[in-house]
């Protein structure tokens, strides 16, 4: 991940080199060479994706790409959006995502959970399914990601989530897939991580954003340090309102969306949200 960028774009190379120096180990080598088992460990994966995304952005800026009207990032990607908007420095953003990964891993070890993708159901139906599962087992499962029409991810306690999966299958979901992870991101099981992370957020310099960041939690613009801090503190236990975020941007007249990072998943979501929107992958 990012090797070609590192080899061909000096500005991107500088980002990876800075990340290695700040972290005190060769994150770049892990991105480029693996081993995959170490790279996908959330402690390493989060700073790796953040650094790669910022390296792509550095390359685009070197080419003279214009500043965006808005920025947004999905879950971890929100930290790249914050750095892109000047709300946090690259160094502070890297420290935040490294600590976020550590705390999420610890929370997952203390309270293992699960996540599942539900395809072919709308948000109200999935919300009702989660409510029914929680009535049987106690609060424990909720919508983690509203990615696009027909694709919802749920997260939380494994028992409650298993019941929700069964209810979704019985209710006519096109497909229900349990994800191969034990960290229940964006669920109540991340409460301990969120509490510790809030202190880290308070200690991190946060600035007024150069342009609005559409937050994951409420799908509304964030500009002030106070609003950004509140978003980051809530993000670990709240769901990612991605479809609502993109619909907000469409309502503002945005008609071109550029995905900055190591993949094109968000553009595939955008195709489902509005196939007429211009989708650009640099």
């Amino acid at each position: 991940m990012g090797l070609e960028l590192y080899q061909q774009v000096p500005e991107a190379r500088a980002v990876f080199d800075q990340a290695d120096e700040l972290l005190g180990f060769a994150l770049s080598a892990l991105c480029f060479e693996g081993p995959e088992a170490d790279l996908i460990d959330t402690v390493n994966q989060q700073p790796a994706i953040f650094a790669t995304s910022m390296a792509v952005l550095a390359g685009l800026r070197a080419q003279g790409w214009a500043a965006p009207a808005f920025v947004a990032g999905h879950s971890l990607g929100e930290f790249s959006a914050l750095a892109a908007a000047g709300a946090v420095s690259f160094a502070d953003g890297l420290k935040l995502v490294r600590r976020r990964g550590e705390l999420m891993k610890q929370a997952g070890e203390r309270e293992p959970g699960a996540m599942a993708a539900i395809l072919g159901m709308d948000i109200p139906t999935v919300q009702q399914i989660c409510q029914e599962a929680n009535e049987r087992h106690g609060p424990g499962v909720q919508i983690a990601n509203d990615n696009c029409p027909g694709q919802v991810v749920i997260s939380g306690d494994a028992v409650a989530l298993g019941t929700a999966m069964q209810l979704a299958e019985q209710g006519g979901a096109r497909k229900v897939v349990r994800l191969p992870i034990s960290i229940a991101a964006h669920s109540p099981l991340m409460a301990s991580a969120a509490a510790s992370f809030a202190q880290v957020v308070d200690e991190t310099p946060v600035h007024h954003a150069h342009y609005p960041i559409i937050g994951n939690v409420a799908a509304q613009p964030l500009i002030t340090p106070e609003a950004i801090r509140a978003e980051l503190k809530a993000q670990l236990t709240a769901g990612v309102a991605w479809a609502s975020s993109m619909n907000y941007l469409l309502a503002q007249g945005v008609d071109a969306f550029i995905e900055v990072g190591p993949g094109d998943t968000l553009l595939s979501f955008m195709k489902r949200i509005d196939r007429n929107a211009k989708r650009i992958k640099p």
Side-chain angles (χ1 to χ4, degrees), residues 2 9 45 48 51 57 60 64-66 76 91 93 103 128 141 153 160 175 184 186 227 254-255 257 263 270 278:
V9 183
Q45 185 183 54
L57 180 63
L60 295 178
W65 282 54
L76 170 66
L103 291 170
Q128 180 61 39
V141 63
V153 176
K175 192 174 184 179
H186 301 290
V254 175
D255 60 3
F257 295 79
M270 197 65 228
K278 186 176 182 181

Side-chain angles (χ1 to χ4, degrees), residues 143-209:
I143 292 175
N145 304 334
D146 173 14
N147 289 331
C148 60
Q151 185 181 127
V152 181
V153 176
I154 59 175
S155 178
D157 171 75
V159 175
L161 183 131
T163 296
M165 291 175 65
Q166 292 176 352
L167 292 171
E169 290 169 346
Q170 294 166 4
R174 182 164 58 83
K175 192 174 184 179
V176 179
V177 182
R178 185 164 177 155
L179 304 181
I181 52 177
S182 60
I183 296 176
H186 301 290
S187 85
L189 297 188
M190 288 292 109
S192 62
S196 298
F197 191 62
Q199 182 177 349
V200 180
V201 170
D202 282 335
E203 295 169 352
T204 301
V206 178
H207 315 285
H208 273 76

Side-chain angles (χ1 to χ4, degrees), residues 101-127:
E102 292 170 347
L103 291 170
M104 289 179 69
K105 183 175 183 177
Q106 292 168 11
E109 290 170 348
R110 284 192 297 266
E111 295 185 273
M115 301 180 75
I118 299 177
L119 307 184
M121 277 189 162
D122 59 24
I123 290 294
T125 303
V126 177
Q127 286 175 329

Side-chain angles (χ1 to χ4, degrees), residues 1 3 6 13 15-35 38-39 43-45 47-49 51-52 94 98:
M1 181 173 69
L3 178 58
Y6 183 89
R13 185 182 311 122
V15 171
F16 281 112
D17 289 345
Q18 184 183 2
D20 291 350
E21 182 178 354
L22 289 167
L23 293 173
F25 71 95
L27 177 70
S28 59
L30 195 58
C31 290
F32 307 153
E33 304 165 10
D38 291 341
L39 180 59
V43 172
N44 297 320
Q45 185 183 54
I49 291 174
T52 302
L94 187 68
R98 176 73 169 180

Side-chain angles (χ1 to χ4, degrees), residues 19 29 75 85 97 188 247 252:
S75 188
V97 297
N247 282 320
Q252 307 312 303

